[in-house]
Amino acid sequence: LEFRRVLFRSEQIVKEKRVNHLDAVLEYCKENFIEPDDISSLINKSLKDKIEVCFRELNYLPKQAKLDV
């Protein structure tokens, strides 16, 4: 149940503050006095994928090839 709260609140933060999902998770940690390392087990695949996209856009991870469909 806790991971749903993280997902729900991070989506709220994205909409309210117009930030990316990475910043939203960090804001959630700040609001709840949680270390970012401690929240990793509460982040589901969907949110991890959104954070990965943010990392790629910020060039923290290499770009992936995209297939034209």
Side-chain angles (χ1 to χ4, degrees):
L1 289 172
E2 186 69 27
F3 74 90
R4 288 185 183 152
R5 187 180 316 156
V6 172
L7 179 61
F8 179 74
R9 181 63 187 131
S10 66
E11 290 294 339
Q12 282 182 322
I13 293 170
V14 167
K15 290 176 185 171
E16 290 170 5
K17 298 188 177 189
R18 298 178 185 212
V19 296
N20 61 39
H21 288 85
L22 174 61
D23 291 334
V25 170
L26 294 175
E27 181 66 25
Y28 177 87
C29 291
K30 185 177 170 184
E31 288 176 357
N32 293 283
F33 306 101
I34 301 171
E35 288 293 323
D37 291 341
D38 297 337
I39 201 169
S40 62
S41 64
L42 301 176
I43 297 176
N44 67 2
K45 173 108 171 83
S46 172
L47 188 52
K48 283 181 183 177
D49 290 343
K50 292 174 183 178
I51 292 172
E52 182 178 331
V53 169
C54 294
F55 266 80
R56 291 192 192 285
E57 289 173 354
L58 294 170
N59 295 319
Y60 293 142
L61 293 173
K63 301 276 185 195
Q64 286 184 325
K66 295 181 182 177
L67 297 175
D68 291 332
V69 183

